[in-house]
Amino acid sequence: MLTSQIVVYSQHGEPADVLSTHSYEIDDSHIGDNEIIVKTLAAPVNPSDINQIQGVYPSKPEKTTNFGTVEASAPCGNEGLFEIIKVGSKVTDFSIGDWAIPAQVNFGTWRTHALANDSEFLKIPNPSQSKANGKSTGLTINQGATISVNPPTALLMLTHYVKLIPGKDWFIQNGGNSAVGKYAIQISKLLGFNSLSVIRDRPNLQELKDELTSLGATKVITEEENGSKEFGPTIKGWTKETGGEIKLALNCVGGKNSTGVARKLANNGLMLTYGGMSFQPVILPTSLHIFKNITSAGFWVTQLLKQNPELKVETLNQIVEWYEDEKLIDAPSLQTKFDPNGDKPLHELYQEAVINSKQGKQLITF
Amino acid sequence: MLTSQIVVYSQHGEPADVLSTHSYEIDDSHIGDNEIIVKTLAAPVNPSDINQIQGVYPSKPEKTTNFGTVEASAPCGNEGLFEIIKVGSKVTDFSIGDWAIPAQVNFGTWRTHALANDSEFLKIPNPSQSKANGKSTGLTINQGATISVNPPTALLMLTHYVKLIPGKDWFIQNGGNSAVGKYAIQISKLLGFNSLSVIRDRPNLQELKDELTSLGATKVITEEENGSKEFGPTIKGWTKETGGEIKLALNCVGGKNSTGVARKLANNGLMLTYGGMSFQPVILPTSLHIFKNITSAGFWVTQLLKQNPELKVETLNQIVEWYEDEKLIDAPSLQTKFDPNGDKPLHELYQEAVINSKQGKQLITF
């Protein structure tokens, strides 16, 4: 028997109030033909994990007594990296030692182990497999554990809707300093697109500009510059130089800032909203809609990839390849290791991580 | 020789300040093989005509000295009904007595006559042709003179983007009492779609509700009802009853009102903005974009039909047929007749009509 620990909640509320750790036994001597047992290598805290626990996120796991809880409970966490430790007799996609990530959200990744059907996981290469495959390096734990949300969000927003012409066309984004923003900068560079990233003015502005430029940013400007009439011709000069247009805007801020990036779009441009950090709605002048034919749409990686499982595999393969080729730098996490024999139960570790999320992305390793 | 009078402006500004009437001769004894001469039957004042003169409309006629003005001048008016009074030797699409409308905007319809290439006009049946074709009635002057903008706007918004299922699906619109709103109500009824029209509360509310219902409205509600949580289940009950969804929203108001209609859309719904009567931008909560996959786009009949000349013909044919079959009621105009021998020059008549536009659509007949 194998003891698994899992973080669950039976009532929605603040993570500090409603999380608990539940232990249950997995019978690893008898597993189904198509079943696998995985052990968790690492699972991060994403904003959507917190919103699910609070009950304010539209996609959430079912509450269940399958883990043996008295009250029906839902598992926490959506993203994570796992290692296969046992496979059923008819499992062909996985071998012991393989790395895998959940195929769908709502799996419940804040746990030590899981018994699952093999179809619930997608394989990604572990470092020795990457090296055996001639790659100079393999994925890090952080790369594997954070590969499902932010990098696909950036890649798909840049490629799935608008056809940007490499070497010519541009996209504009606000929140250029966000995790997705940095992936978008790097991926656009890899794909040959020009990026125009808008960031807030700050004391260490040049430092941040330099960082984004070193990631591959074509141009980085402040919100003030983006909003200023005087600066408009400078931007027009940049697009003229490449012979392209700003055909796509990525918005994770909202409010006046969303108006600002939408205004820079060429006729028939698309703005994709994937976040609302300012808690303000998207604001679009009527004239942009009618006379410039600007369209404003939403992007939710969860829903898109749920509807397109093949697209998920294709997208992940591309990101894996860029990581293996050291062409893509992952957003760093603040890592804390769980000690199964220590005093602190797993849910307390995640409760602390939720609080610490304001300082940066938190990753619990196992 | 035929004397044509045309309303022009050489400088942008308020119509009261910048319009003048220019007279010039058309040599009707020698016209080109593919040319036609038309006389104007009626030409209305549209808001876009006024905005063109003010210089705040993105589509505008070129200034030219072709009419013989000293200064380069632009003609006014975009919509109008004309009668063919002379045809060149190689003209096959038109005969004398035919009715026609300009094929494109910016033709300059505020005038008494025009010499044009036959490709600049589209034929619509005159009343005797409709009757000869077995129809019970022909188009009125008002129907012909106002057929190019509002009815196609309503028809195309309802059919060109989202596939509504007849008998089941719904669209929601604000400005249900506007000219386009009333066409949308009637046309949706003709096509079998359910309509939910949102109107401002007012003293004679029931009277307006009755009017819209008699035009074919499925449901008419006030802005307050649309914004109220308590009223939500009533609307859900209506859509449940038909087994359909609200897949399309038409917005001509903007601001909070645009948010209100967008909130009523089913997942994956589309809001089309074709006007901004409140002078407020379109406001869309981030969650509607991301989690309900609501898309917000613009509609501009001018641009759409410029890019799709065949769609224009097809759309106009459908509207003509509905008028001939008395299935569609046109928005009434306040009509004023121009007297070419009177004291009041044509531009003064239009200047008055611009001012009177606040009381209702103005149509100058000839």
Side-chain angles (χ1 to χ4, degrees), chain B residues 147 149-162 164 171 179-188 190-191 193 248 250 272 299 301 304-305 311-322 328:
Chain B
I147 202 171
V149 180
N150 288 342
T153 293
L155 173 52
L156 288 165
M157 288 197 299
L158 288 171
T159 55
H160 193 63
Y161 300 88
V162 170
L164 299 176
F171 80 97
V180 170
K182 287 179 178 173
Y183 284 116
I185 285 171
Q186 296 182 77
I187 291 172
S188 64
L190 288 166
L191 298 173
F193 309 147
L248 177 68
L250 308 183
L272 288 173
F299 180 87
V301 71
L304 177 65
L305 293 184
L311 184 64
K312 178 160 186 172
V313 172
E314 198 181 294
T315 304
L316 287 171
N317 286 346
Q318 175 63 84
I319 293 159
V320 163
E321 195 183 313
W322 281 329
L328 190 64

Side-chain angles (χ1 to χ4, degrees), chain B residues 58-356:
Chain B
S59 155
K60 46 184 175 250
E62 295 285 317
K63 288 182 189 167
T64 167
T65 53
N66 287 353
F67 306 116
T69 54
V70 178
E71 281 187 282
S73 299
C76 302
N78 293 277
E79 210 179 17
L81 178 64
F82 297 82
E83 184 182 326
I84 314 295
I85 58 172
K86 197 164 182 87
V87 295
S89 59
K90 291 193 178 158
V91 172
T92 55
D93 290 349
F94 296 103
S95 305
I96 289 167
D98 282 353
W99 279 12
I101 59 175
Q104 295 294 345
V105 293
N106 300 339
F107 180 76
T109 56
W110 297 1
R111 58 163 114 192
T112 61
H113 302 81
L115 171 69
N117 201 288
D118 60 352
S119 65
E120 292 181 86
F121 276 86
L122 297 175
K123 182 176 168 175
I124 61 172
N126 67 27
S128 55
Q129 290 165 343
S130 292
K131 281 169 197 156
N133 199 20
K135 300 292 183 180
S136 57
T137 188
L139 270 64
T140 65
I141 295 280
N142 185 60
Q143 286 169 343
T146 61
I147 202 171
S148 303
V149 180
N150 288 342
T153 293
L155 173 52
L156 288 165
M157 288 197 299
L158 288 171
T159 55
H160 193 63
Y161 300 88
V162 170
K163 202 163 171 46
L164 299 176
I165 303 171
K168 291 190 167 183
D169 284 335
W170 293 68
F171 80 97
I172 184 171
Q173 65 172 346
N174 55 29
N177 189 31
S178 68
V180 170
K182 287 179 178 173
Y183 284 116
I185 285 171
Q186 296 182 77
I187 291 172
S188 64
K189 172 88 173 175
L190 288 166
L191 298 173
F193 309 147
N194 295 296
S195 64
L196 175 54
S197 295
V198 183
I199 56 175
R200 273 192 309 268
D201 199 5
R202 61 191 75 206
N204 62 342
L205 178 66
Q206 192 55 48
E207 203 177 298
L208 177 56
K209 280 192 173 188
D210 291 346
E211 184 197 342
L212 298 183
T213 304
S214 77
L215 286 177
T218 316
K219 298 287 178 188
V220 181
I221 63 175
T222 63
E223 288 179 4
E224 290 67 33
E225 286 171 330
N226 193 50
S228 124
K229 271 204 172 167
E230 291 68 40
F231 199 75
T234 305
I235 297 176
K236 285 216 170 112
W238 292 337
T239 55
K240 203 176 166 189
E241 214 169 277
T242 65
E245 288 183 325
I246 306 178
K247 289 184 179 159
L248 177 68
L250 308 183
N251 166 46
C252 66
V253 179
K256 216 172 63 171
N257 208 309
S258 61
T259 317
V261 298
R263 279 195 196 284
K264 291 298 180 293
L265 283 169
N267 283 2
N268 310 311
L270 172 72
M271 178 160 77
L272 288 173
T273 290
Y274 68 98
M277 292 196 304
S278 71
F279 297 103
Q280 298 289 312
V282 172
I283 301 174
L284 273 177
T286 298
S287 60
L288 287 190
H289 265 328
I290 301 179
F291 301 128
K292 291 191 70 182
N293 198 29
I294 300 304
T295 298
S296 177
F299 180 87
W300 190 18
V301 71
T302 300
Q303 188 62 18
L304 177 65
L305 293 184
K306 199 172 163 186
Q307 290 163 339
N308 300 277
E310 283 174 26
L311 184 64
K312 178 160 186 172
V313 172
E314 198 181 294
T315 304
L316 287 171
N317 286 346
Q318 175 63 84
I319 293 159
V320 163
E321 195 183 313
W322 281 329
Y323 276 144
E324 288 178 326
D325 294 339
E326 295 182 274
K327 290 180 171 169
L328 190 64
I329 297 167
D330 49 322
S333 301
L334 299 165
Q335 304 191 7
T336 310
K337 194 164 170 65
F338 173 61
D339 176 0
N341 304 312
D343 290 338
K344 193 172 285 182
L346 186 56
H347 74 279
E348 282 188 29
L349 220 58
Y350 272 103
Q351 284 170 329
E352 289 173 11
V354 167
I355 290 162
N356 295 335

Side-chain angles (χ1 to χ4, degrees), chain A residues 315-355:
Chain A
T315 304
L316 286 172
N317 286 347
Q318 174 63 84
I319 293 159
V320 163
E321 194 182 314
W322 281 330
Y323 276 144
E324 289 178 325
D325 293 341
E326 294 182 276
K327 289 180 172 170
L328 190 63
I329 296 168
D330 49 324
S333 301
L334 299 165
Q335 305 192 6
T336 310
K337 193 164 171 63
F338 173 61
D339 176 0
N341 305 312
D343 290 338
K344 194 171 283 180
L346 186 56
H347 73 278
E348 283 188 27
L349 219 60
Y350 272 103
Q351 285 170 328
E352 289 173 9
V354 166
I355 290 163

